[in-house]
């Protein structure tokens, strides 16, 4: 039986402070202070399409791993949660290297502006997407159906990651816009570096809010060394 293919439309894009995949939180909702906005393609900017959405507090975003689209897929992957050195089945993970490069994120709705020069815009917090990520659909989060307090996290729940301490020299922190400092500190506390890397002299970097953040990590202390 031939593989069935059906068309999918990009309905919009998200605007965030991340210019690359590196540094983006590994799951949505981990850094609540991160704010983003969803802008829609002209075809989907009718205000009536958003009628009633203002009554919901959270949103599901269905999106494309636009930086990970490839012609093949991998049956097993190495999750960062397991240190990048153990393979598990791709369907037991949220890896981007899947048959369809589709992601799912739960975010909090901050506000909805229907009348802007770009049409309706949804402002959200807690997004784990890089700037410009294509949005395929949005759906309201339903607490009565989507929340499962007794859910089991499999291998992901067996590994405990603790936030790291962040050393951010004041003269470097002042290079960051004031309203971006709290979100950036939240990102750094999650340690964006690969957890299988142990070289304390290695300098990592990622783009955030128009700046390049350079840091080192040793044990449980992350030190920002440059802001460019």
């Amino acid at each position: 039986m031939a593989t069935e293919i059906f068309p999918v439309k990009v309905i919009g894009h998200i605007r965030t402070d991340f210019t690359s995949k590196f540094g983006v939180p590994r799951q949505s909702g981990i850094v609540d202070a991160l704010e983003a906005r969803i802008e829609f393609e002209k075809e989907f900017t009718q205000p009536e399409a958003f009628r009633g959405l203002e009554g919901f507090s959270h949103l599901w975003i269905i999106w494309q791993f636009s930086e990970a689209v490839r012609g093949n897929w991998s049956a097993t992957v190495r999750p960062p949660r397991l240190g990048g050195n153990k393979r598990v089945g791709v369907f037991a993970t949220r890896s981007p290297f899947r048959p369809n490069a589709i992601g799912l994120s739960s975010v909090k709705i901050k506000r909805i502006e229907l009348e802007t020069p770009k049409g309706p815009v949804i402002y959200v917090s807690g997004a784990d997407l890089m700037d410009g990520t294509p949005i395929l659909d949005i759906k309201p989060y339903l607490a009565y159906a989507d929340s499962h307090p007794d859910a089991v996290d499999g291998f992901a729940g067996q590994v405990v990651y603790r936030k790291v301490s962040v050393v951010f020299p004041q003269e470097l922190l002042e290079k960051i816009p004031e309203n971006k400092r709290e979100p950036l500190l939240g990102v750094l506390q999650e340690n964006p570096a690969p957890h299988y890397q142990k070289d304390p002299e290695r300098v990592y970097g990622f783009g955030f809010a128009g700046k390049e953040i350079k840091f080192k990590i040793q044990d449980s202390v992350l030190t920002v060394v440059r802001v460019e």
Side-chain angles (χ1 to χ4, degrees), residues 33-70:
L34 282 173
E35 295 194 356
R37 66 184 187 275
I38 304 172
E39 300 175 350
F40 295 86
E41 295 297 309
K42 187 175 181 180
E43 180 182 355
F44 308 103
T45 56
Q46 301 95 322
E48 56 267 31
F50 302 84
R51 185 183 303 152
L53 187 59
E54 71 281 355
F56 294 89
S57 65
H58 291 72
L59 196 68
W60 287 111
I61 303 177
I62 302 169
W63 48 279
Q64 182 187 50
F65 283 104
S66 53
E67 297 297 302
V69 176
R70 51 171 62 182

Side-chain angles (χ1 to χ4, degrees), residues 8-166:
V8 176
K9 290 185 176 182
V10 173
I11 68 168
H13 295 81
I14 197 165
R15 298 301 170 192
T16 75
D17 288 314
F18 295 99
T19 57
S20 66
K21 294 183 294 182
F22 191 92
V24 175
R26 293 179 174 89
Q27 299 293 339
S28 59
I30 290 180
V31 184
D32 187 62
L34 282 173
E35 295 194 356
R37 66 184 187 275
I38 304 172
E39 300 175 350
F40 295 86
E41 295 297 309
K42 187 175 181 180
E43 180 182 355
F44 308 103
T45 56
Q46 301 95 322
E48 56 267 31
F50 302 84
R51 185 183 303 152
L53 187 59
E54 71 281 355
F56 294 89
S57 65
H58 291 72
L59 196 68
W60 287 111
I61 303 177
I62 302 169
W63 48 279
Q64 182 187 50
F65 283 104
S66 53
E67 297 297 302
V69 176
R70 51 171 62 182
N72 58 346
W73 65 285
S74 177
T76 62
V77 295
R78 302 175 188 267
R81 190 79 178 178
L82 295 178
N85 52 22
K86 180 179 179 180
R87 285 191 173 274
V88 299
V90 66
F91 294 132
T93 76
R94 297 187 178 186
S95 167
F97 306 116
R98 1 184 25 88
N100 294 298
I102 296 175
L104 179 69
S105 297
S106 175
V107 297
K108 184 176 182 179
I109 299 175
K110 302 293 288 186
R111 67 184 188 278
I112 303 172
E113 295 184 2
L114 297 179
E115 302 294 337
T116 81
K118 295 185 177 182
V121 175
I122 303 176
Y123 292 82
V124 301
S125 65
D128 57 338
L129 294 81
M130 65 176 287
D131 186 57
T133 296
I135 305 303
L136 305 180
D137 204 354
I138 59 172
K139 297 176 184 288
Y141 177 96
L142 303 178
Y144 78 89
D146 297 339
S147 178
H148 301 279
D150 58 345
V152 177
D153 292 336
F155 69 83
Q158 298 169 13
V159 181
V160 178
Y161 279 142
R162 293 180 174 84
K163 294 180 185 294
V164 299
S165 298
V166 176

Side-chain angles (χ1 to χ4, degrees), residues 31 166 168 173 180-190:
V31 184
V166 176
F168 206 137
L173 185 61
K180 301 295 183 181
R181 294 175 189 174
E182 181 184 353
L184 176 56
L185 288 170
V187 170
L188 294 173
Q189 287 172 349
E190 294 294 328

